[in-house]
Amino acid sequence: KIWSYNKKQPTNSEQDNIIAHSLSIVAKIELKAGHIITINDIDWLRPGTGISPKMTDQIIGRKLLKTVLPGEPLLKDELG
């Protein structure tokens, strides 16, 4: 058969652009370890190297395990 069912994948250069143009959840202000995250604590900035904005509802109310500085992306292993 000639039919192909392979899923189209982005090239390496396209993948770099996807990350560069995606957003991440970042700290608006310095957030100390033990802080409970609120909507007022976070912002959404490029590049998309951290947690996706799609996960905002799952981040609110979580406790930070380490201090995060303003503009730094939140990472899953930093959340309790």
Side-chain angles (χ1 to χ4, degrees):
K1 290 184 176 183
I2 297 176
W3 298 102
S4 174
Y5 293 100
N6 293 333
K7 183 177 178 184
K8 183 178 176 183
Q9 298 291 322
T11 65
N12 288 339
S13 62
E14 289 172 330
Q15 188 63 38
D16 291 342
N17 285 333
I18 290 169
I19 292 170
H21 291 92
S22 297
L23 298 174
S24 290
I25 298 174
V26 300
K28 274 189 187 177
I29 58 173
E30 181 177 348
L31 303 174
K32 303 261 186 205
H35 180 80
I36 305 298
I37 300 170
T38 70
I39 193 69
N40 297 321
D41 297 327
I42 60 173
D43 206 351
W44 302 267
L45 298 175
R46 290 185 177 110
T49 56
I51 299 171
S52 168
K54 294 177 188 175
M55 302 295 292
T56 298
D57 289 342
Q58 288 81 16
I59 299 302
I60 303 303
R62 302 277 300 272
K63 182 167 42 170
L64 283 171
L65 300 178
K66 72 168 227 149
T67 298
V68 181
L69 299 176
E72 285 186 347
L74 299 181
L75 304 173
K76 289 181 183 178
D77 62 347
E78 297 172 340
L79 302 172

